[in-house]
Amino acid sequence: MSRPDRREASQLRALNCSLGQLNRADGSAQFSAGNTSVVSGIYGPVEAKVYEEKLDRAVVEVKFRPDIGAPTTKDKWMESAIRNTFEREILTHLHPRTLVQIVIQLREGDGSVDSAAINATSLALVDAGIPLKCMITAATCAVLSDDTTVVDPTQEEIDAARSTHTFAFASGSSTGPLYVDSRGDFTMDEYNHCYDLCALATERVLAFMRTAIEGKVTKEAKISAA
């Protein structure tokens, strides 16, 4: 089956990112894959409210804001899942009794929004200097009605798919995914195939993100030396 944008089945859309866009945030990043674009802002660590604070670690809070209207039930689920994913990888014990707030804003949604949100948040945490165990990268696959499996599906492809699968992985780890969201009708073989394709895709995303971070560090070093 030919894809609407003529990509190969395992091909990602063009990736783009920008770090430090939000002036009032402690760190931020915009991550785009094709027409899907997400901005993540990091606020903190700041002093947590008494009824929220943890004596031995920081509290991580995630808010997701859609491009139009109020957050849906799926958006709320994604908030919780992303919080659980990053809470395990942020070194929260280094900042006890504080709050790290992650605000994710969808600017344009054309499929694979949850993976873009995770990638934007991973970059924003690095930009904010939040200590992490590792980088986290994500990718989405869809199984279409003709049984073709495609990587980084557009919204048109997702609407026509039998199932969609998003996986997030920790860099340099072989312990399995940190985040999984599989929806629809699929076999175990299809699930495993999507897992493998997403694992390969996240390696390409990680290489792209590392290049972006290195570029910003190099640029800041030149400004400081000037």
Side-chain angles (χ1 to χ4, degrees):
M1 180 178 178
S2 176
R3 305 185 70 176
D5 52 11
R6 299 185 179 182
R7 282 180 293 145
E8 298 294 327
S10 61
Q11 186 178 354
L12 294 166
R13 287 175 287 182
L15 302 180
N16 187 36
C17 74
S18 177
L19 280 68
Q21 277 198 334
L22 304 180
N23 294 330
R24 296 184 180 181
D26 294 293
S28 63
Q30 178 174 350
F31 183 91
S32 301
N35 291 329
T36 293
S37 182
V38 178
V39 176
S40 182
I42 309 300
Y43 301 86
V46 296
E47 185 177 351
K49 296 177 181 178
V50 174
Y51 61 86
E52 291 180 334
E53 69 179 17
K54 304 289 185 182
L55 296 178
D56 60 341
R57 63 187 185 276
V59 174
V60 178
E61 179 182 85
V62 175
K63 293 184 178 181
F64 181 86
R65 296 172 178 168
D67 53 344
I68 299 173
T72 64
T73 300
K74 183 181 178 182
D75 294 336
K76 291 295 184 182
W77 182 91
M78 187 162 59
E79 284 181 350
S80 177
I82 291 177
R83 178 180 60 78
N84 291 337
T85 299
F86 282 97
E87 198 170 41
R88 295 195 298 267
E89 301 307 313
I90 295 172
L91 299 180
T92 54
H93 66 279
L94 298 178
H95 300 283
R97 305 179 74 170
T98 64
L99 169 69
V100 175
Q101 187 180 65
I102 301 169
V103 179
I104 302 167
Q105 173 69 58
L106 176 62
R107 291 216 168 152
E108 186 174 357
D110 184 27
S112 308
V113 169
D114 47 354
S115 53
I118 290 170
N119 294 331
T121 298
S122 195
L123 284 167
L125 286 165
V126 171
D127 188 55
I130 302 295
L132 299 166
K133 296 177 186 176
C134 60
M135 288 284 289
I136 300 173
T137 51
T140 300
C141 276
V143 181
L144 305 181
S145 57
D146 65 350
D147 299 333
T148 303
T149 303
V150 296
V151 175
D152 191 19
T154 63
Q155 191 59 50
E156 180 181 349
E157 290 173 318
I158 288 174
D159 291 341
R162 284 198 291 108
S163 65
T164 58
H165 309 263
T166 298
F167 298 90
F169 299 90
S171 60
S173 174
S174 58
T175 58
L178 298 174
Y179 171 102
V180 179
D181 182 18
S182 292
R183 298 169 184 262
D185 180 22
F186 54 91
T187 65
M188 200 64 209
D189 286 343
E190 288 171 336
Y191 174 90
N192 290 333
H193 185 46
C194 288
Y195 177 99
D196 292 339
L197 287 175
C198 285
L200 289 172
T202 55
E203 291 179 6
R204 299 197 292 271
V205 172
L206 178 62
F208 168 78
M209 288 167 60
R210 282 178 169 164
T211 300
I213 293 167
E214 289 169 1
K216 186 186 180 191
V217 170
T218 300
K219 182 178 179 180
E220 290 179 344
K222 289 181 178 178
I223 292 173
S224 297

